[in-house]
């Protein structure tokens, strides 16, 4: 219920502040496990990525944020769960897999640096999708987060990484490369429009 409330607030805020548009929502499965993978530009990315969708998106967030009064109460109720600084713990991985096995959607930013605060590192998205059998949906966040400049989120069709399932570490690397290649192509295509 709190998630729905905040989603409504953010939809209005982003429509006014960033003129946010969303394309490709029909590519999001209505049910079942989904790993939603996007490029990472800003701390605004998690709500911008999830706000246009009718399904709840779960995210990792820095553990320190859960110690902040009020925010620490709100975060778990809107689908966030803690990850410790310096790396993703076994507990975070276990929780991520459980969410996917329960048919939820997990938002991950599999790029470097900034994404490590809200993602699982570069290979995490592919690893979780392979272990859980989740559908991988690529997404591109387009725009600069400048007030009243148009922002866009594009959700692409599923990326099939099943061909890499039995490839061990090399297969995981190839699956990750495939996901990132699709996301970069989407960003390039839509930034040029």
């Amino acid at each position: 219920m709190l998630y729905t409330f905040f989603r409504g607030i953010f939809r209005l805020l982003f429509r006014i502040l960033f003129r946010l548009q969303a394309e490709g929502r029909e590519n999001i499965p209505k049910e079942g496990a989904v790993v939603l993978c996007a490029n990472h530009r800003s701390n605004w990315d998690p709500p911008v990525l999830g706000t246009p969708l009718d399904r709840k998106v779960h995210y990792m967030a820095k553990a320190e944020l859960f110690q902040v009064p009020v925010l620490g109460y709100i975060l778990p109720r809107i689908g966030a769960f803690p990850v410790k600084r310096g790396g993703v713990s076994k507990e975070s991985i276990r929780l991520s897999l459980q969410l996917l096995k329960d048919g939820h959607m997990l938002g991950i930013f599999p790029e470097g640096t900034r994404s490590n605060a809200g993602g699982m590192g570069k290979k995490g998205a592919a690893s979780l999708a392979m272990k859980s059998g989740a559908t991988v949906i690529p997404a591109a966040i387009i725009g600069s987060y400048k007030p009243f400049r148009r922002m866009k989120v594009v959700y692409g069709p599923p990326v099939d990484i099943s061909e890499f399932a039995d490839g061990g570490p090399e297969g995981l690397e190839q699956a990750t490369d495939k996901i990132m290649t699709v996301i970069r192509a989407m960003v390039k295509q839509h930034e040029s429009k």
Side-chain angles (χ1 to χ4, degrees):
M1 185 152 145
L2 200 56
Y3 185 92
T4 305
F5 171 76
F6 278 107
R7 181 176 57 201
I9 298 284
F10 277 120
R11 278 182 180 172
L12 181 61
L13 175 70
F14 292 156
R15 199 170 294 140
I16 294 167
L17 188 60
F18 301 132
R19 298 168 58 204
L20 183 64
Q21 295 179 330
E23 294 178 13
R25 283 180 284 214
E26 68 278 3
N27 291 315
I28 304 290
K30 297 206 181 318
E31 56 187 38
V34 174
V35 175
L36 182 60
C37 302
N39 58 316
H40 207 355
R41 295 176 176 256
S42 160
N43 289 330
W44 283 105
D45 290 343
V48 163
L49 183 64
T51 293
L53 303 176
D54 291 331
R55 287 188 66 182
K56 183 176 186 175
V57 183
H58 296 265
Y59 299 97
M60 291 184 188
K62 288 186 271 191
E64 295 84 4
L65 295 175
F66 290 80
Q67 307 306 315
V68 176
V70 182
L71 193 58
Y73 173 81
I74 293 172
L75 284 174
R77 286 158 181 81
I78 60 171
F81 58 97
V83 60
K84 293 177 183 170
R85 186 184 295 265
V88 178
S89 67
K90 288 181 181 178
E91 178 63 19
S92 298
I93 293 169
R94 187 198 62 72
L95 184 52
S96 298
L97 284 170
Q98 189 60 54
L99 284 166
L100 292 170
K101 286 177 182 172
D102 290 343
H104 295 287
M105 183 160 33
L106 186 64
I108 296 181
F109 302 96
E111 295 180 306
T113 57
R114 185 177 293 280
S115 65
N116 293 336
M120 297 199 69
K122 192 174 178 191
K123 297 178 192 169
S127 177
L128 287 172
M130 286 180 173
K131 287 178 181 175
S132 67
T135 301
V136 177
I137 299 292
I141 299 171
I142 312 297
S144 61
Y145 288 102
K146 291 186 177 166
F148 312 111
R149 298 267 180 94
R150 189 172 306 282
M151 293 280 307
K152 183 165 44 171
V153 182
V154 181
Y155 305 98
V159 177
D160 183 6
I161 58 171
S162 60
E163 64 188 292
F164 309 113
D166 297 325
E170 187 176 320
L172 187 58
E173 186 78 42
Q174 291 171 323
T176 300
D177 288 344
K178 183 173 182 179
I179 294 167
M180 291 309 305
T181 298
V182 170
I183 293 171
R184 287 184 192 115
M186 289 171 63
V187 170
K188 187 174 182 181
Q189 175 190 352
H190 290 277
E191 279 185 338
S192 63
K193 287 184 179 180

